Amino acid sequence: MSAPRLPPFPSIRDILKLYNLNAVKRLSQNFLMDKNLTDKIIRKTGDLAGTQVLEVGPGPGPITQSILKQIPKRLVVVEKDPRFKPVLDMLADSFSMVNGKMDILYNDIMKTDMETLFPAEYKKDWNDKSPHIYLVGNLPFSVSTPLIIKWLHAIAEHRGPWAFGRTKMTLTFQKEVAERLVAKPSEDQRCRLSIMAQAWTFPVLRFIIPGKAFVPKPDVDVGVVSFVPLVKPRTQHDFKLFEKITRHLFSFRQKYSIRCIETLFPLYCRKELGLMMYKLSDLDPTMRPTQFTVEDVDRLTTAYKYLTEKHPEINLYNYRSSRHLLPLSNTTDVVIQECTELDLLKETSI
Ligand code: SAM
């Protein structure tokens, strides 16, 4: 007896008509209509046959169809908009005809606990090859950037899908953001996001999708980026501390980097400790932020950690807070009146 075959899927155009679905502007929905392009995204994601796949933001299912055609062992989709239930149910039913399993969660991916989504037998050692688990998504640009920051944080701490090893992911971004993620030192697009992404992963810009391939057409083109977590991250520092130094480093892109690094310190000791950071790191204070390698930022972070261990109150200094310091004659001459830790995960301006 021949193996059961996946029934042919209707086109996305027909699905939208059939289920009377339209893109909701408020949710920044743009649907990818070209099967060749969704197949290409999945080809670049990896060989999905027999694997566990998580797709974020399936919408009416164009990428979902391309995933299912590869016959993974199981697909989990996380979609915020319940209007897509009839079409996602239809895809899950079709997949069950080939004994495949597709689970549908109506949830915000930013609030989804992903660690419980995959079976324990898929776990691999961090130093081993990547596990047979893949994450894929074509999300709104306003979600994909905070999501990659959140995921980088989880990678650094081996949490969520990265408790299973070096799980690979493929996500779409506004073309300019995709270029920033992979920008090398001294390239125009080099920024905070480049440093953060490259400290923990190897990001590759796979290809560009023209805006006209989407309905409705966004104002920008789209870059497809894949990420493989590094066996040995390029920094051993805590994610939040490393992010803090990177954020300050890029506070004025065009100036000498020391002007940026000085913002880590209260005014009264800014010049002295700023220079000390460069001496300890053996770096040139006239370097521009865009010239820094990940290893340079790592050295700055080591220097900052050393200085804050000597003067713990410096660690609490918040450049953005308007009410921060009152000079006093205690051991360090400062007291922190108010300090609010920035919540980096809420920051989308990276
Ligand atoms: N994957 C489809 C495609 O390629 O045509 C739809 C892409 S559309 C740009 C983004 C999808 O992500 C929408 O279906 C939207 O409802 C969903 N979405 C937006 N924010 C989300 C979130 N926080 N969590 C889960 N899904 C989200």
Side-chain angles (χ1 to χ4, degrees), residues 29-32 57-59 62-63 79-80 84 107-109 138 140:
Q29 291 176 342
N30 308 94
F31 305 136
L32 192 44
I63 297 176
E79 172 56 62
K80 200 174 174 182
F84 297 112
N107 208 351
D108 181 339
I109 188 62
N138 173 28

Side-chain angles (χ1 to χ4, degrees), residues 6-10 12 15 19 55 58-66 68 75 77 84-98 100-102 104:
L6 203 57
F9 296 120
I12 295 303
I15 283 181
Y19 295 100
E55 187 196 355
I63 297 176
T64 322
Q65 290 190 7
S66 296
L68 294 181
L75 169 65
V77 297
F84 297 112
K85 185 174 185 324
V87 54
L88 294 174
D89 284 347
M90 180 273 287
L91 292 174
D93 286 346
S94 303
F95 195 42
S96 69
M97 289 180 199
V98 291
K101 192 163 163 38
M102 173 171 156
I104 309 166

Side-chain angles (χ1 to χ4, degrees), residues 6 10 23 35 38 85 140 156 180 209 238 251 278 297 304 311:
L6 203 57
K35 266 193 171 87
T38 56
K85 185 174 185 324
R180 281 184 214 157
I209 305 178
D238 168 72
S251 41
Y278 282 79
V297 182
Y304 183 73
H311 303 285

Side-chain angles (χ1 to χ4, degrees), residues 300-318:
L300 278 179
T301 311
T302 305
Y304 183 73
K305 203 169 168 207
Y306 171 80
L307 292 174
T308 53
E309 273 163 12
K310 285 193 133 196
H311 303 285
E313 71 285 349
I314 289 169
N315 207 9
L316 299 172
Y317 171 67
N318 183 351

